[in-house]
Amino acid sequence: MRNFKLFQILSQFDKLEQNRIRKFISSPYFNKDKVVLALFELVVDEINAGSQGEWPKERIWDKLATELPFDDTRLRKYQSDLLKLIEQFLIQQEFEADTFASQAYLLRSIKKKKLRKLHNSTLKTVKEIPEKTPHRDGNYYLGQFLVETSYDQLISDFEEKKTEKTNLEEMSKLLDYFYIGEKLKIYCEVLSRKKFAKHEYDISLIDEILSFAERFEYQEIPFIAIYYQIFKMYVEPQEVNHYYKFQNLLSESSHFFPSSQEKVFYDFAQNYCINQLNQGNSLFLKELFGVYKDVIAKGFFTIEGRMESLEFRNIVVVGLRMGEYEWTENFINNYIKLLPTEIRENTRSFNLSQLYFYQKKYSNVIRILQEVEYNDYITNLNAKTTLLMTYYEVGEIDPLFNLLESFRVYLNRNKEIPSARKINYKNLIKFTKRLISLPPSDTKLLTVIKEEVMSTKNIPSRDWLLEKIAELE
């Protein structure tokens, strides 16, 4: 039954959610067909029992106990009806969670049905919504606009004093906040994607939007102010004050945003710090470490309780470069369980080898990296590079020569590794060989090697090579 579409969909719901769907389907208001409910129960029972087998359609039909001969068309109709009910349930869940939308529809219904008895109490409830709503993202301003629109229409129907000032000005402001903020959000996403794709986007009225966004009254709206600073970070990346202003705004107003929106802001911060580091601004290593610590504390690195191995590795690298060895070791040990089981142990051993290298515990590095062969070529390349540097540091020349040769063979034989990356690592091998073969006190040749290293782009561990050259000068 695992290939059954409904099985795959309902498998995404936990038992609490299954029970809520059951109540929804059991309601005669939404469903009067008991066979559809029986189909739901059959699928859910198989899911909760951990079913691995395949069920022919005839067996499913028999379990539904319709007392009718097998009818493939009717079975597909039952499946379709159940799927539609699940979709209705999801819509209902989202609708109930959106206070603004539900109240806006209530106001419209009161107006349509002219339910004067509900008029005053509903208006009072509606006016209290903004105070009880903590978030101030685009959805907040759109939702409040919809409520204010329905409110205005209701007032115009029920109130006697038609000449008094209405809430039209407030409605206009709310719509402006939503539109300007969302336009900025889209434009910032465009600027972000342009770094990875050459596709051109036509964002209409963006110059006008930017002109409005920089005004004082709009800078008072955190949703707009933060996205405006993100825009400035992209178009004027060399002006680092834009980043610091962005960080201050985020620190002061993060409580105004749902976690999904706050995570997006931290993604922009992380990308800016990485770009600054790539441009040689080493001051942003500390900033990136701070961003990582905040993101970890807020749980933004985990998706459904899992963490990406690349993110895990990046955090370790930054922690080590900061010299935060104890923090990094705690991170490895505490968060390794969030990685997929099949890569967990290898990831742990590799990252511990990096920690030991920074701590100059070279015997531990050699012990780990000699025992493990990593499956993915990226980890393998990094592991061989670390072992190469370790052998050099401890003066193990014969093992180093052997490693350099096996490393070269690995690069030649592995077809997964891109050609450009192979060239980079072959340069590392070449320069390492030249260093260990360098005659003592040959300063002239050392200078030549240094100049070549400095002029060669993208050598892995280039800073380490230059450090070793400096030690020989």
Side-chain angles (χ1 to χ4, degrees), residues 13 15-16 21 57 87 114 129 134 180 204 214 235 260 268 318 333 357 372-373 403 415 431 439 448:
F13 298 91
K15 290 187 178 181
L16 179 61
I21 297 173
K57 293 179 180 180
E87 291 171 351
K114 298 190 182 303
I129 292 176
I180 292 172
S204 61
E214 64 187 7
V235 297
S260 58
F268 280 116
V318 171
N333 291 329
F357 181 83
V372 181
E373 183 70 22
L403 174 63
K415 299 186 184 302
F431 287 121
V448 171

Side-chain angles (χ1 to χ4, degrees), residues 221-283:
I221 306 299
F223 182 61
I224 294 175
I226 290 177
Y227 268 113
Y228 183 75
Q229 286 307 129
I230 293 172
F231 155 73
K232 298 292 281 185
M233 284 158 54
Y234 272 108
V235 297
E236 298 175 354
Q238 71 283 0
E239 297 293 334
V240 296
N241 284 336
H242 294 318
Y243 172 81
Y244 293 118
K245 186 173 181 181
F246 159 80
Q247 274 288 15
N248 287 336
L249 285 168
L250 184 57
S251 176
E252 293 169 0
S253 56
S254 62
H255 59 284
F256 284 139
F257 304 103
S259 58
S260 58
Q261 178 61 72
E262 193 181 357
K263 181 184 184 302
V264 171
F265 290 149
Y266 274 101
D267 287 342
F268 280 116
Q270 179 182 328
N271 291 337
Y272 182 84
C273 291
I274 292 172
N275 288 335
Q276 286 293 312
L277 286 170
N278 290 339
Q279 296 300 316
N281 190 344
S282 59
L283 294 176

Side-chain angles (χ1 to χ4, degrees), residues 389-401:
M389 295 188 295
T390 303
Y391 281 144
Y392 184 97
E393 294 289 353
V394 297
E396 293 282 359
I397 303 302
D398 289 340
L400 178 54
F401 267 116

Side-chain angles (χ1 to χ4, degrees), residues 278-295:
N278 290 339
Q279 296 300 316
N281 190 344
S282 59
L283 294 176
F284 272 80
L285 181 65
K286 182 178 180 181
E287 292 296 328
L288 181 58
F289 185 60
V291 170
Y292 280 155
K293 289 174 74 174
D294 287 344
V295 170

Side-chain angles (χ1 to χ4, degrees), residues 280-331:
N281 190 344
S282 59
L283 294 176
F284 272 80
L285 181 65
K286 182 178 180 181
E287 292 296 328
L288 181 58
F289 185 60
V291 170
Y292 280 155
K293 289 174 74 174
D294 287 344
V295 170
I296 291 167
K298 292 174 181 289
F300 292 159
F301 271 131
T302 58
I303 301 173
E304 296 182 352
R306 289 285 180 264
M307 181 181 284
E308 293 290 331
S309 60
L310 181 59
E311 295 286 9
F312 187 94
R313 186 182 301 168
N314 289 342
I315 294 170
V316 170
V317 169
V318 171
L320 294 176
R321 289 178 62 187
M322 282 293 298
E324 295 281 350
Y325 302 142
E326 184 178 353
W327 183 93
T328 304
E329 186 169 12
N330 288 334
F331 170 79

